[in-house]
Amino acid sequence: MAAEFLDVYRQYIQRFEEKFGALAFDETVRHSGYLIAKLRYEDFSTHWNECLQLESLLRDVASQNLTINDEVKRQYLDACAKVLKNPKDFNMM
């Protein structure tokens, strides 16, 4: 198990279990209008990395006063929901 996001993953597991109880991996629950699953580390790190990349893209777009694509924003919100991350509001930057 690569340790790149291990601390973040541990925090995710703790938040997940506080919100939803000790569910099995891949068991789904509804969260903020999304159907999400408890993720194993490998899946979590993929989704966390996607979330960070989309956040960086959205930050760059917002800082240049460009229009944020609705599909990219939807992907970002979806990625944040999967890893229980509070999404940033780039429309307010």
Side-chain angles (χ1 to χ4, degrees), residues 7-81:
D7 288 337
V8 178
Y9 179 69
R10 287 183 181 131
Q11 293 169 9
Y12 157 78
I13 289 295
Q14 182 178 357
R15 282 192 319 272
F16 194 98
E17 291 182 352
E18 286 172 0
K19 286 181 179 250
F20 308 113
L23 301 177
F25 289 108
D26 301 323
E27 192 171 345
T28 57
V29 294
R30 188 159 291 282
H31 170 67
S32 299
Y34 293 90
L35 193 59
I36 64 167
K38 183 176 180 182
L39 301 172
R40 289 178 173 79
Y41 179 76
E42 295 76 20
D43 296 325
F44 173 84
S45 61
T46 299
H47 291 298
W48 183 256
N49 194 39
E50 175 188 19
C51 187
L52 295 178
Q53 288 176 346
L54 287 166
E55 192 172 283
S56 177
L57 171 67
L58 290 170
R59 185 177 294 112
D60 291 345
V61 168
S63 71
Q64 296 176 35
N65 292 323
L66 300 173
T67 304
I68 295 175
N69 180 295
D70 289 340
E71 177 60 19
V72 173
K73 185 175 179 181
R74 185 200 60 75
Q75 289 175 11
Y76 172 65
L77 294 175
D78 185 55
C80 286

